[in-house]
Amino acid sequence: MKHQISFLGGQLLPVYIGVKEYMPDKLHFIASEESKEGMKVLKDLLKELKFSEFICDPFDFYAIKKRIESIIEKVDANDDVLINLTGGTKIMLLAAQSVISDKTVNGFYINQDYSLIEVPSYEKKQIVSELSVKDFFGLSGHNAFTFMKLSDFTESDFKVSNEIENFAESNKLYSKVTDLVRKKFRLVPEKGFETTPSGASIKWGNGLIEINNNNKSVISFKSNNVKDLFFNASWWELIVAAEVGKWPKAKEVMLHCELPFKTDDKSLKNEIDILLNTGNKLIFVECKSGNIKQEDINKMKVIKQTYGGIISKSLLVSRFMPSQSIMEKCKELDIEVYYMYAFQRMVNSLKNIHKTLDKLEKKTSI
C-alpha cells in the first residue's frame, strides 16, 4: 500500500499534483486551522482515495514532527511512505526533512516549472502527469462550468468572422451601427431594425444581418451565430481561437467559458474568452477588438488568480496597440500583450502568436 503525507497551505495545486504523479492509496493531511478547508476540496476531487486528517500548529516544529512520525509508525512495515514537502509553512518543511533524515522514508518538492526534486537524493525530475481544466477549476471550488469548442462553430461562422473583420477595418459604418445597438439594448434581441441619425440602418434576424446606407445595400452577413459574432465582437474571439487552437502544446481549447456563482448557478460569475490548457498550466486569453479599459485588465488578474493559481498565465490579444497606461498595467500584473496593428496599422498579424504562447508556457510565476 502506498501512503502520501501532505501539508496544506494556501495552494492546493502542489498537493493535487503530488497525488496525480505518485498515485497513493491513502493520503494523510496535516493542516492548520486556517488551511483545513482545503481538505474538503481535495477529498471531493479524490474520492477514490482513503484519507486521514490532522490539525496542527503550523509553527510548532516538535508537534508536527511527532505527528509525521506517528503516521509512519502506524503503517505496515512493507508499505511505501512519501512526504510532499511543497505545501504548508517552512516549519512544516523542516519537520518533514528531519523525519526523512531519521526514518527510512522519502519525500519530494514540486517546483513552479512543473518539475520535482526527490528527497533525500535531491534528483530533479520532470513531472509526467497532466491536469485537465476540470482539475484546475475543481481546485478552486468551481466544479460547474460551460464552454464551447472550435468544432461547435461552422465553416460559415469562420468565414463570416473574417468578413466582419474586413468590414470593421475598412468601413466606419461598423462602429456606428454596433454602437447604436449596444447602447440601446443590454441584451440584443433575436430580431430587430435600427437606423442611425446619418441614414445608415441595420436589420438582423434568422441568421442574417443586413447593413444599408441611405437605402443602398452595403453588406450582409449570414451564419447561425452571426448575431453573437457581430454585436458581441465574438468574431474577433473566433479568429484568435482558430489561430491559437493550432498551437501544438494546447491539450484543451475552450471558448466562451462561463463559471456561475457557487450558490446561484443561474448567475454568471465570469466569462473567459479563450482558455488554453497545456496539461500543467492554464493560459487565459482575453480578446479585444476595440477600446481596452482598466477594468478589463483588473478582471484578467482576478480570473487568473481565482481559477488558474500561481502557475497560470494571462494573454491579452488586441487588434490595436493598447495605450501606454494599459501596457504599463499589463506589465505590472504579468499579463502578456499581443496586438495586430500599431503605428498607423502596420500589419503584425496573428501568425507569430504561437511564439508568444511558447514564451508563456515556459515562464514560471513572478
Side-chain angles (χ1 to χ4, degrees):
M1 188 172 183
K2 294 193 292 185
H3 298 259
Q4 195 171 118
I5 300 171
S6 291
F7 305 120
L8 292 191
Q11 292 283 329
L12 300 181
L13 185 59
V15 178
Y16 192 71
I17 292 174
V19 174
K20 295 280 281 187
E21 187 69 7
Y22 288 101
M23 299 300 291
D25 301 297
K26 187 170 184 179
L27 194 57
H28 304 270
F29 290 128
I30 298 179
S32 66
E33 284 291 338
E34 291 74 19
S35 65
K36 67 181 182 180
E37 291 300 317
M39 287 191 286
K40 182 181 184 306
V41 174
L42 288 165
K43 287 168 71 175
D44 285 344
L45 290 172
L46 301 166
K47 291 185 173 67
E48 71 278 10
L49 297 186
K50 297 177 181 179
F51 299 93
S52 67
E53 306 168 18
F54 306 97
I55 306 299
C56 289
D57 179 344
F59 303 106
D60 189 333
F61 174 88
Y62 293 104
I64 298 165
K65 183 179 179 182
K66 185 176 180 181
R67 175 54 64 191
I68 298 170
E69 290 173 336
S70 174
I71 294 171
I72 295 171
E73 287 167 2
K74 290 178 181 178
V75 305
D76 191 278
N78 295 320
D79 288 354
D80 293 324
V81 180
L82 267 179
I83 305 177
N84 188 338
L85 303 167
T86 320
T89 63
K90 290 183 174 64
I91 298 297
M92 289 177 167
L93 170 62
L94 290 173
Q97 286 182 313
S98 176
V99 172
I100 290 171
S101 299
D102 296 340
K103 305 284 183 180
T104 56
V105 295
N106 297 323
F108 63 91
Y109 184 91
I110 295 172
N111 299 310
Q112 291 179 8
D113 63 355
Y114 216 67
S115 67
L116 60 84
I117 297 175
E118 293 186 331
V119 182
S121 68
Y122 296 100
E123 181 181 356
K124 185 175 181 179
K125 293 184 177 180
Q126 198 62 34
I127 295 171
V128 297
S129 59
E130 294 184 346
L131 275 63
S132 67
V133 169
K134 185 177 180 180
D135 290 329
F136 280 107
F137 283 173
L139 289 168
S140 65
H142 295 85
N143 296 303
F145 61 97
T146 61
F147 64 93
M148 297 182 73
K149 298 177 291 186
L150 282 167
S151 58
D152 293 325
F153 295 89
T154 64
E155 287 187 16
S156 63
D157 291 329
F158 291 100
K159 179 174 179 289
V160 163
S161 293
N162 286 293
E163 290 173 350
I164 295 173
E165 181 189 25
N166 292 332
F167 179 64
E169 178 62 28
S170 61
N171 200 312
K172 293 181 179 179
L173 280 179
Y174 170 78
S175 58
K176 287 183 179 180
V177 295
T178 52
D179 288 348
L180 174 71
V181 174
R182 288 170 184 164
K183 287 177 181 178
K184 184 170 183 178
F185 302 104
R186 189 176 69 86
L187 293 175
V188 179
E190 290 301 314
K191 296 181 180 181
F193 178 84
E194 297 293 331
T195 304
T196 69
S198 61
S201 66
I202 180 168
K203 181 182 179 181
W204 70 95
N206 299 319
L208 179 66
I209 289 179
E210 298 175 290
I211 298 173
N212 294 276
N213 193 20
N214 295 317
N215 296 318
K216 293 182 179 180
S217 177
V218 176
I219 197 169
S220 63
F221 306 104
K222 186 176 182 180
S223 85
N224 291 336
N225 293 305
V226 70
K227 183 175 77 73
D228 179 60
L229 292 170
F230 189 85
F231 292 116
N232 297 328
S234 296
W235 58 270
W236 177 237
E237 295 172 22
L238 194 54
I239 288 173
V240 175
E243 191 60 42
V244 300
K246 300 173 187 174
W247 186 43
K249 296 177 183 178
K251 307 292 184 182
E252 293 177 282
V253 180
M254 297 181 177
L255 291 78
H256 309 318
C257 190
E258 296 177 341
L259 297 106
F261 285 104
K262 295 180 185 179
T263 54
D264 181 5
D265 58 8
K266 295 181 180 178
S267 299
L268 296 182
K269 185 173 185 180
N270 274 309
E271 179 177 335
I272 302 161
D273 290 345
I274 304 171
L275 181 61
L276 303 176
N277 177 27
T278 66
N280 56 50
K281 180 182 296 182
L282 295 182
I283 299 178
F284 298 91
V285 183
E286 181 79 4
C287 303
K288 287 295 176 184
S289 61
N291 186 41
I292 304 169
K293 301 175 183 178
Q294 288 280 351
E295 51 260 41
D296 296 325
I297 306 305
N298 292 331
K299 170 194 165 187
M300 292 181 69
K301 173 189 174 184
V302 171
I303 285 177
K304 172 188 174 298
Q305 291 177 337
T306 304
Y307 307 116
I310 194 170
I311 65 172
S312 66
K313 293 298 170 187
S314 297
L315 173 62
L316 171 64
V317 183
S318 173
R319 285 182 69 226
F320 303 101
M321 182 178 181
S323 67
Q324 187 61 35
S325 62
I326 292 295
M327 293 290 280
E328 290 175 359
K329 186 73 173 177
C330 288
K331 184 177 181 180
E332 176 187 332
L333 299 178
D334 193 38
I335 295 172
E336 193 74 21
V337 180
Y338 189 99
Y339 51 88
M340 281 270 289
Y341 302 116
F343 310 116
Q344 297 181 345
R345 300 184 179 181
M346 182 173 65
V347 176
N348 183 30
S349 86
L350 286 172
K351 67 181 181 180
N352 292 318
I353 199 167
H354 288 193
K355 293 180 181 179
T356 300
L357 292 171
D358 286 336
K359 175 183 173 184
L360 284 175
E361 192 268 338
K362 292 175 183 176
K363 283 180 69 174
T364 56
S365 64
I366 54 174

